[in-house]
Amino acid sequence: MARVFVYGTLKKGQPNYQHMLNGTHGIAKFQGRGRTVEKYPLVIAGKYNIPFLLNIPGTGHHVTGEIYSVDDQMLQFLDEFEGCPDMYQRTPVRLEVVEWEDKSSAPEERPAVNSIMECFVYSTTTYQPAWINLPYYDNYDSLGNHGLHYVLRESRD
């Protein structure tokens, strides 16, 4: 099992969360919430208003999201879903644990709040240069006050 940090439309309550629940894609088990140790620019970009974590450590905000444990099948699905390696690249990121809900492991194996762990994240180095000038967010919500409506894949032209 691998750990993956999701910060955008795959989070609970967001438009693509159903993919994390779809057993035909593999297993994704919610473990907790985290925040990037380093700052990153999280932008909403393109004509479909997609959230992108630009792989520019040290710029932007500490980004919050959810930590999942995923099997190889789900990891492969996520790679395909995220257009890896062209649109996004799966890279390791250091996270500070904000909250840990997974009680399935022994207490001594659970990470403490504020401890640091490494997870995979889908960030991008293949972005348009103008995206650096977009507003940076520390948390993504498709219905946030940014007013940028996310367009589902099936609704795109």
Side-chain angles (χ1 to χ4, degrees):
M1 301 288 277
R3 285 197 176 126
V4 175
F5 176 69
V6 298
Y7 57 83
T9 65
L10 290 168
K11 295 189 309 184
K12 289 181 181 181
Q14 297 304 308
N16 289 315
Y17 176 61
Q18 75 273 6
H19 296 296
M20 301 300 280
L21 302 174
N22 187 338
T24 62
H25 298 318
I27 297 167
K29 183 176 181 185
F30 177 76
Q31 294 194 297
R33 291 177 180 75
R35 174 175 44 239
T36 59
V37 170
E38 291 195 74
K39 294 179 178 181
Y40 289 90
L42 171 58
V43 300
I44 302 171
K47 69 179 186 177
Y48 304 123
N49 296 317
I50 297 170
F52 289 94
L53 190 70
L54 307 184
N55 194 347
I56 311 173
T59 301
H61 300 289
H62 299 282
V63 176
T64 59
E66 298 173 348
I67 302 165
Y68 288 84
S69 177
V70 301
D71 66 3
D72 288 343
Q73 183 180 346
M74 178 60 81
L75 196 60
Q76 182 178 342
F77 167 79
L78 291 173
D79 281 354
E80 292 169 13
F81 182 81
E82 299 290 9
C84 186
D86 300 324
M87 189 157 130
Y88 292 91
Q89 298 79 48
R90 177 168 39 99
T91 58
V93 66
R94 288 176 358 111
L95 301 176
E96 176 185 355
V97 175
V98 173
E99 178 182 5
W100 197 258
E101 291 189 11
D102 182 10
K103 305 288 191 245
S104 63
S105 56
E108 62 274 5
E109 295 175 8
R110 293 181 205 141
V113 170
N114 299 325
S115 66
I116 306 299
M117 70 165 37
E118 193 171 89
C119 295
F120 286 122
V121 68
Y122 291 91
S123 62
T124 186
T125 57
T126 54
Y127 53 86
Q128 297 176 21
W131 292 3
I132 295 171
N133 301 314
L134 293 171
Y136 298 162
Y137 300 92
D138 62 355
N139 188 26
Y140 175 79
D141 183 343
S142 63
L143 301 175
N145 60 10
H146 47 70
L148 300 169
H149 176 73
Y150 174 77
V151 180
L152 290 166
R153 287 178 187 209
E154 51 270 18
S155 302
R156 297 176 189 172
D157 50 16

